[in-house]
Amino acid sequence: MLTKEEIEKFHRDGYLRGGTVVPDEVVEVLRSEVLRVIDNRNEPGFQPVLLHNMAGEDAPVWQIVNIWEASEPFRDLIHNKKICEEMAQLTGASQLRIWHDQIQYKPATTGGVNMWHQDAPLWPILAPMTEVTAWVALDDVDEENGCMSMVPGSHLWGDHMNYLATFKKFEDMPSEFEGKPVEVRLCPVKKGEVHFHHALTWHGSNANRSGRPRRAIAIHFMTENTRYVASGNHVMKEFVEVADGEIMRGEHFPLVYSA
Ligand SMILES: O=C(O)CCC(=O)C(=O)O
């Protein structure tokens, strides 16, 4: 469970490094599951929703959406008791569902950049913009192999995705925005640890310049107050079973916590 101080820190900064949620032997299983799912991507049977390189050919970032639908160990992970209970503490939710998950794999040496963004504006089929992500490292992740960076307090500034999308390079973050100081903080995470961030926090990750792979899974949660917005678009839209304006639910958005 998180302490009162940790919860306050999350609300102030828009992110929080949690503790270990997965023991080493399970990390090994999850790593091999990532490879198995990639190798079996053209086989019949259960597959993730999406598996592709979301960056350039020369600087790949492999994204696998909803690996939990293709892998039993990852299905166990989205139900991880510690993650779900801490997520309930951070969101104040009495029920939590998985919005979706995504593996973000930056291969050694060549792995590319994940540019600055906010999650919620990229998820326009959900409202309100209050989702929180539990990001679990499957490798020790640091500055060299492309750990995430966060701008503390930016989750309180509203939707500025159009502004962030104007940046050409990862280093383009200014030191001030609308009169507020902007600070970039590196967020190293050890394998098996969880790192939480709010869906409006400015964040991204630099290239993997190390000889080590950088594998992680972002598990995106939504609360019992999250509604469907039919006017938006998203890769998960085809799986939505509710009408415009209704509370999100359905078998592709499993209930993982109920108080
Ligand atoms: O893994 C990364 O580098 C970025 C992940 C991310 O953007 C997210 O979890 O929202």
Side-chain angles (χ1 to χ4, degrees):
M1 295 296 269
L2 298 170
T3 63
K4 186 168 158 286
E5 289 71 30
E6 286 173 317
I7 296 167
E8 281 169 7
K9 191 171 185 321
F10 174 80
H11 289 305
R12 186 190 67 223
D13 292 343
Y15 64 89
L16 180 77
R17 183 176 177 176
T20 300
V21 287
V22 181
D24 285 356
E25 60 275 17
V26 177
V27 170
E28 289 302 326
V29 172
L30 295 172
R31 286 173 173 177
S32 61
E33 279 294 285
V34 172
L35 293 182
R36 186 190 63 77
V37 169
I38 292 174
D39 287 348
N40 291 356
R41 62 188 177 280
N42 296 319
E43 304 290 323
F46 293 109
Q47 291 292 343
V49 165
L50 187 67
L51 194 165
H52 71 147
N53 172 13
M54 59 186 271
E57 285 274 295
D58 301 339
V61 179
W62 289 95
Q63 182 191 42
I64 306 176
V65 174
N66 271 20
I67 195 168
W68 74 262
E69 302 205 46
S71 163
E72 198 71 47
F74 276 104
R75 190 167 312 146
D76 290 345
L77 182 67
I78 64 167
H79 290 89
N80 180 290
K81 193 163 182 289
K82 184 163 162 35
I83 297 176
C84 292
E85 284 178 358
E86 294 186 351
M87 185 60 70
Q89 288 184 281
L90 294 177
T91 55
S94 56
Q95 287 197 337
L96 287 167
R97 286 183 184 273
I98 300 301
W99 157 220
H100 64 284
D101 71 34
Q102 51 175 313
I103 295 286
Q104 295 258 336
Y105 167 32
K106 299 182 188 222
T109 324
T110 57
V113 173
N114 202 330
M115 276 301 281
W116 289 102
H117 64 281
Q118 294 172 292
D119 294 332
L122 303 178
W123 299 337
I125 68 168
L126 298 186
M129 293 182 170
T130 51
E131 306 82 15
V132 175
T133 292
W135 190 95
V136 179
L138 302 180
D139 293 290
D140 289 347
V141 179
D142 53 33
E143 184 171 11
E144 283 302 299
N145 67 347
C147 69
M148 286 195 294
S149 292
M150 305 263 154
V151 174
S154 54
H155 63 305
L156 303 172
W157 302 344
D159 174 359
H160 295 291
M161 190 55 226
N162 289 342
Y163 168 67
L164 297 177
T166 64
F167 296 3
K168 299 276 182 294
K169 304 189 300 298
F170 194 74
E171 292 73 23
D172 280 353
M173 184 62 74
S175 57
E176 196 184 290
F177 173 73
E178 294 184 343
K180 296 178 279 284
V182 172
E183 210 187 313
V184 170
R185 296 233 187 108
L186 286 163
C187 299
V189 182
K190 292 283 184 201
K191 71 171 176 175
E193 283 184 358
V194 63
H195 187 278
F196 298 101
H197 65 269
H198 189 278
L200 282 171
T201 305
W202 298 12
H203 66 286
S205 59
N206 214 334
N208 184 356
R209 293 179 294 260
S210 77
R212 295 170 284 133
R214 198 225 74 165
R215 292 160 289 190
I217 179 165
I219 310 169
H220 307 301
F221 287 78
M222 53 191 176
T223 74
E224 72 275 15
N225 299 317
T226 306
R227 291 177 186 275
Y228 176 51
V229 180
S231 57
N233 232 325
H234 189 271
V235 68
M236 290 304 295
K237 185 169 180 170
E238 64 177 293
F239 303 105
V240 176
E241 296 169 25
V242 300
D244 190 22
E246 282 186 4
I247 298 290
M248 283 288 283
R249 57 187 152 71
E251 64 170 325
H252 290 274
F253 309 99
L255 185 68
V256 291
Y257 174 88
S258 196

